[in-house]
Amino acid sequence: DAKTTQPPSMDCAEGRAANLPCNHSTISGNEYVYWYRQIHSQGPQYIIHGLKNNETNEMASLIITEDRKSSTLILPHATLRDTAVYYCIVRVASSNDYKLSFGAGTTVTVRA
Amino acid sequence: GAVVSQHPSRVICKSGTSVKIECRSLDFQATTMFWYRQFPKQSLMLMATSNEGSKATYEQGVEKDKFLINHASLTLSTLTVTSAHPEDSSFYICSARGSVAGHYYEQYFGPGTRLTVT
């Protein structure tokens, strides 16, 4: 699976949109982009995933560039409870027998 | 989303003893379960993958005789840390993925178990 690169940390203001970048320049055409987050001392929580098109759900939006070499997770109105480590992961879409491998992620701190 | 539970949430054991951690999928049948380990300020590291009724597949560097995994049913997997030592103290997280008629669900994670070996 392709490797991802994320900034180690970022701060954002409560109530503002948080834009989390992820580079996956070696991504293949059959690989999904997944986002999970981990709040301190809890298990990871699924956020969103996409292949080519932008995606939106009740938690966030995922913007994937046209060349698919990078993506941005958008938390539209960050709250203090969104403080967590956010992981961007790519995995092969064509395989049902996949394993999720976690990198270092981005530590996001939402400040009042 | 699907719910995965773990028990216990915290456990303290003495060096040399064994401890068992349970992972359950509460509202779906988990054909595949995963066990991860996470040390302080580090990311999750995959230890092993198990399919229901089959032997677990361990990642490189993980001792299969030390970390015994049983996935005897579609809703339960257990991880037994045998002859635990202080260096086994860690946050253990299970994950489960189900499938119906060839369609695979996303991978959902349990809340984790904090193991402290004294």
Side-chain angles (χ1 to χ4, degrees):
Chain A
D1 292 336
K3 182 179 177 180
T4 63
T5 304
Q6 299 176 251
S9 65
M10 63 183 295
D11 287 0
C12 59
E14 186 180 23
R16 304 292 293 269
N19 298 315
L20 283 61
C22 179
N23 285 323
H24 29 79
S25 58
T26 60
I27 194 170
S28 300
N30 63 346
E31 289 182 312
Y32 280 111
V33 178
Y34 274 74
W35 283 84
Y36 281 80
R37 73 179 182 183
Q38 185 180 25
I39 296 170
H40 182 63
S41 294
Q42 297 182 23
Q45 177 189 21
Y46 166 80
I47 301 173
I48 199 168
H49 75 278
L51 185 61
K52 295 180 181 179
N53 300 321
N54 298 336
E55 302 287 344
T56 296
N57 62 21
E58 65 277 5
M59 289 184 67
S61 295
L62 174 61
I63 309 298
I64 302 174
T65 58
E66 193 168 342
D67 63 7
R68 302 187 68 246
K69 293 183 184 298
S70 65
S71 61
T72 301
L73 179 74
I74 301 173
L75 307 178
H77 304 286
T79 70
L80 298 179
R81 289 180 297 177
D82 292 322
T83 293
V85 179
Y86 287 76
Y87 297 99
C88 170
I89 302 167
V90 296
R91 68 101 169 161
V92 177
S94 60
S95 171
N96 284 320
D97 189 20
Y98 66 88
K99 298 180 288 188
L100 293 178
S101 296
F102 288 77
T106 296
T107 299
V108 173
T109 304
V110 180
R111 301 191 187 280
Chain B
V3 179
V4 177
S5 70
Q6 280 184 243
H7 178 80
S9 57
R10 290 178 176 271
V11 58
I12 300 173
C13 70
K14 292 187 176 181
S15 186
T17 62
S18 296
V19 62
K20 180 185 287 187
I21 302 170
E22 292 186 349
C23 176
R24 295 181 184 274
S25 57
L26 298 185
D27 51 3
F28 68 101
Q29 293 185 323
T31 50
T32 306
M33 285 188 169
F34 307 85
W35 286 95
Y36 292 79
R37 180 169 55 181
Q38 185 175 34
F39 292 109
K41 299 189 183 301
Q42 294 186 22
S43 188
L44 286 78
M45 183 187 76
L46 180 64
M47 299 175 66
T49 302
S50 71
N51 292 299
E52 185 263 338
S54 301
K55 289 184 178 180
T57 301
Y58 291 80
E59 296 297 306
Q60 191 172 9
V62 178
E63 301 175 58
K64 63 179 182 180
D65 294 329
K66 182 171 184 60
F67 299 99
L68 302 179
I69 293 172
N70 184 282
H71 189 173
S73 79
L74 286 171
T75 59
L76 174 65
S77 175
T78 60
L79 168 68
T80 302
V81 183
T82 63
S83 187
H85 291 284
E87 57 266 30
D88 299 322
S89 297
S90 188
F91 193 49
Y92 291 87
I93 305 169
C94 76
S95 179
R97 185 176 72 214
S99 66
V100 174
H103 173 75
Y104 283 76
Y105 299 141
E106 303 309 329
Q107 193 169 325
Y108 295 96
F109 289 80
T113 296
R114 177 78 58 191
L115 170 63
T116 303
V117 184
T118 61

